[in-house]
Amino acid sequence: MPQNLQWILIAAGVIAIAGLTFYIIYQWRRLRQHQRAVARTRALQAERRDSMIESIRILAMTLQQEQVEPSEGCIRIKGLLDHVEPELLSHSPYDVFQTIYEKTQHMPTHEARQQADPRLIQRLDEERFALEAAYADAIQEGAMAIRYYRFDGSVSASAGEPRTVDPGASTLQP
């Protein structure tokens, strides 16, 4: 084989190796950037989840202390639980939040309430007050349980019941 051809093949091999090396480095950097983006996204999601859990605990406390209307507190807790741990809404005592939501879903809110006939609003308010009275004990029980619930994303192995923390033995800051 002529010596010129050998040098040309060697040069082509070196160029191919250099090109592949640059391509590998480029792909490795893209992978690292992707991994960092995924880590940032997970951190933001965890922060958002923690914020929603804190909001649930605060709402539960305001429900217990009767600082918010029971139906409004239940609806807000249900909305947050839909994002944090929706399967919890099918377990007792937490299912009261879903029940109140479903029974008040037909009632107008915000601007629709302001534009509705005052007699209709009065009738709906009476219906809501009766509902809140009928479920008062369940709402308080649900508020206490959700306030001390351990949001670790798992359901205990025993009977599929959600795990709560005993408030008397808890180190949580309620």
Side-chain angles (χ1 to χ4, degrees):
M1 178 183 299
Q3 194 174 15
N4 286 341
L5 183 58
Q6 288 178 352
W7 284 110
I8 291 173
L9 291 175
I10 290 171
V14 168
I15 290 171
I17 291 171
L20 289 173
T21 302
F22 286 121
Y23 180 73
I24 290 170
I25 291 170
Y26 171 75
Q27 290 294 354
W28 179 76
R29 287 181 179 165
R30 283 188 54 202
L31 177 63
R32 295 283 295 167
Q33 287 175 344
H34 176 72
Q35 288 172 338
R36 284 193 292 268
V38 167
R40 281 192 304 271
T41 300
R42 285 188 180 144
L44 288 172
Q45 288 172 339
E47 185 178 315
R48 183 171 181 244
R49 178 179 163 79
D50 290 344
S51 174
M52 285 191 273
I53 290 169
E54 181 64 21
S55 294
I56 289 169
R57 293 190 200 291
I58 290 170
L59 281 167
M61 183 177 61
T62 59
L63 267 175
Q64 286 181 298
Q65 296 173 354
E66 298 178 0
Q67 295 176 357
V68 65
E69 290 189 23
S71 57
E72 182 179 350
C74 288
I75 291 168
R76 289 176 184 256
I77 289 174
K78 187 262 187 213
L80 289 166
L81 282 175
D82 279 344
H83 296 287
V84 175
E85 212 161 314
E87 65 278 357
L88 198 60
L89 292 167
S90 62
H91 294 284
S92 181
Y94 314 102
D95 58 350
V96 70
F97 305 123
Q98 180 72 34
T99 302
I100 297 295
Y101 173 81
E102 290 171 355
K103 292 185 183 268
T104 59
Q105 192 173 11
H106 67 282
M107 297 181 182
T109 60
H110 303 93
E111 192 173 319
R113 181 178 170 91
Q114 292 174 352
Q115 294 176 355
D117 180 34
R119 291 175 294 201
L120 172 66
I121 296 301
Q122 182 179 3
R123 194 182 84 233
L124 291 174
D125 282 346
E126 290 170 4
E127 179 184 338
R128 185 171 49 86
F129 295 148
L131 182 67
E132 290 172 353
Y135 285 92
D137 292 339
I139 291 171
Q140 286 299 314
E141 182 182 352
M144 175 65 116
I146 199 71
R147 188 172 172 198
Y148 294 102
Y149 178 73
R150 290 178 21 195
F151 287 94
D152 59 2
S154 65
V155 176
S156 84
S158 64
E161 287 299 314
R163 294 185 286 176
T164 56
V165 177
D166 178 15
S170 174
T171 59
L172 295 174
Q173 298 291 328

